[in-house]
Amino acid sequence: MSGGIPQRLPFDDDLPLLGIAAWSGTGKTTLLEQLLPRLGERGLRVAVIKHAHHTFDVDQPGKDSHRLRQAGASPMLVASRERVALMMETPGREEADLAELIDMVRPQHPDLVLVEGFKAWPLPKLELYRPEVGKTLRVAEDSWVRAVASDESLVLPEGVEALDLNDLEALTDWIAAWPARWPRCQLPRERKQEEATP
């Protein structure tokens, strides 16, 4: 487990990835809560990898799995007929390893992996932007941003789509179409444009 942010992620044409990038307070999780059922209705099986900025624990002290993990089991896998949970200690890391997390969901054969957070990682992204949060747009500094969904009109760089953050149907359409666009969208904007130039 490396813990650093690589310059490039190993992409696979069969596993479409889309980052959902936004500043805290923009409503990423709330929006995903609304979009996931709509994407499911369209027949898409969507995996989500979510970044947490602090120590968190999905296990409960006193439970067998917690006791075994505290005793040194790494990883600790708990399974029932309804769900599976994999818990692993990652001490000494500066950052979670997104490439490793993607490999963990790959065997489940999702149609799309949405990556919430991990905004510094090199992967195509949909940026969510609300001016009232008081932060800057990331699209100008992040050439991986493919579209910006906002509740206001914005001036965006060439090649970046503008989406209405409050139009759930249009956002669902855009994300549902992402797997078909994925093989053509695996480079940042500048590199894609440079390679398209004869």
Side-chain angles (χ1 to χ4, degrees), residues 172-190:
T172 303
D173 289 344
W174 193 88
I175 294 172
W178 185 254
R181 291 196 311 264
W182 169 246
R184 301 183 313 275
C185 295
Q186 295 179 13
L187 295 172
R189 289 186 318 268
E190 290 88 350

Side-chain angles (χ1 to χ4, degrees), residues 35 38-39 42 44 163 167-179 181:
L35 291 171
R38 289 171 167 82
L39 293 166
R42 297 189 185 200
L44 287 174
L163 302 170
D167 187 343
L168 288 175
E169 201 60 31
L171 285 172
T172 303
D173 289 344
W174 193 88
I175 294 172
W178 185 254
R181 291 196 311 264

